[in-house]
Amino acid sequence: MVSEIFAISAAWSRAVIEFAAGLDPWMQSAAELGTDLFLGVFALLFLMAWWKARSVDSRRVGLALFAPVATVIAYFVSVTIKSFFQQMRPCQAMTDLSVIATCDPIGDWSFPSNHSAIAGAAAAAIIVAWRRFAVAAVLFAFLEAFSRVFVGAHYPHDVTVGLLVGAIVATLVSLLAARPMTFLVDRLAEIDALRPLLRAKPPVPGPGHEAIRQDTHAKT
């Protein structure tokens, strides 16, 4: 069963690599650049989730602040799993093919994909913290995973497992950290210098607000 899955995954990987090899050089360069830049999008989403969470409650802020930590934890879990497997990368095994990215040396193994684990973890942590960013987070996680296959660094099964490992680990540790992070945010918000980072300012009433409120009281 495992050998059959690997054979199918290898065939898909070969087809994608051959397609990528026929693209214009500028498109190949963009793909190689994008496989790392896609991860930078999650840093932006982390910041946006934290900024939005400030207007909701301490739990949301805590989850948003913990999201990068959850991602790092998931990354180390992926690295640990990788150490038990010694699967060669497509660019190492399929020497008859020309790949986009510079191939890592033997010993830098393929399964699972650390890039995909980071993307899956970041997406899951962002969704837990701020669900409205779910579509963007999932989209870029899949783009990152596909890009790793596209540049010849990983097989489809590498990136699939990487996404799952990252998402599962990040979700679990984020939920476990929710209560202590909420407590921490509440305590830190008591410090004047830190409060603006953890609490959004309440909206300032408009000039007609007081008149409306008085009119309402008069009618009652």
Side-chain angles (χ1 to χ4, degrees):
M1 181 66 176
V2 174
S3 60
E4 292 176 358
I5 293 174
F6 180 82
I8 294 172
S9 184
W12 288 356
S13 185
R14 176 176 286 274
V16 172
I17 291 172
E18 288 177 341
F19 172 79
L23 295 176
D24 292 336
W26 72 268
M27 296 181 70
Q28 294 178 347
S29 299
E32 185 176 10
L33 186 63
T35 195
D36 291 321
L37 289 182
F38 282 143
L39 294 181
V41 174
F42 292 105
L44 178 61
L45 290 176
F46 286 151
L47 289 172
M48 292 173 64
W50 155 70
W51 187 258
K52 292 285 188 180
R54 292 164 56 253
S55 62
V56 182
D57 55 34
S58 296
R59 185 176 186 275
R60 294 281 185 185
V61 174
L63 287 170
L65 292 176
F66 189 76
V69 179
T71 302
V72 171
I73 293 172
Y75 164 75
F76 281 113
V77 171
S78 177
V79 170
T80 302
I81 296 174
K82 186 188 286 284
S83 67
F84 289 99
F85 297 90
Q86 295 186 352
Q87 175 190 285
M88 295 176 67
R89 296 176 181 270
C91 59
Q92 297 165 348
M94 302 179 185
T95 55
D96 60 313
L97 296 179
S98 176
V99 298
I100 292 177
T102 302
C103 193
D104 293 312
I106 300 293
D108 191 343
W109 307 112
S110 182
F111 179 85
S113 165
N114 286 335
H115 279 72
S116 299
I118 292 171
I126 288 167
I127 292 170
V128 171
W130 195 259
R131 204 168 298 173
R132 293 180 183 178
F133 291 156
V135 173
V138 170
L139 174 62
F140 279 100
F142 279 110
L143 282 174
E144 174 60 32
F146 177 75
S147 74
R148 301 305 291 163
V149 178
F150 195 79
V151 300
H154 287 285
Y155 295 101
H157 67 275
D158 297 338
V159 300
T160 300
V161 173
L163 286 173
L164 290 174
V165 167
I168 292 171
V169 172
T171 299
L172 290 177
V173 297
S174 293
L175 294 177
L176 287 173
R179 181 171 293 182
M181 286 301 297
T182 302
F183 176 81
L184 178 62
V185 169
D186 283 336
R187 298 289 79 78
L188 292 177
E190 296 175 358
I191 303 174
D192 292 340
L194 297 179
R195 189 176 300 114
L197 300 176
L198 305 170
R199 298 278 190 273
K201 292 182 179 180
V204 178
H209 177 76
E210 187 65 27
I212 294 173
R213 189 174 66 174
Q214 292 176 357
D215 183 62
T216 301
H217 283 301
K219 290 181 179 179
T220 56

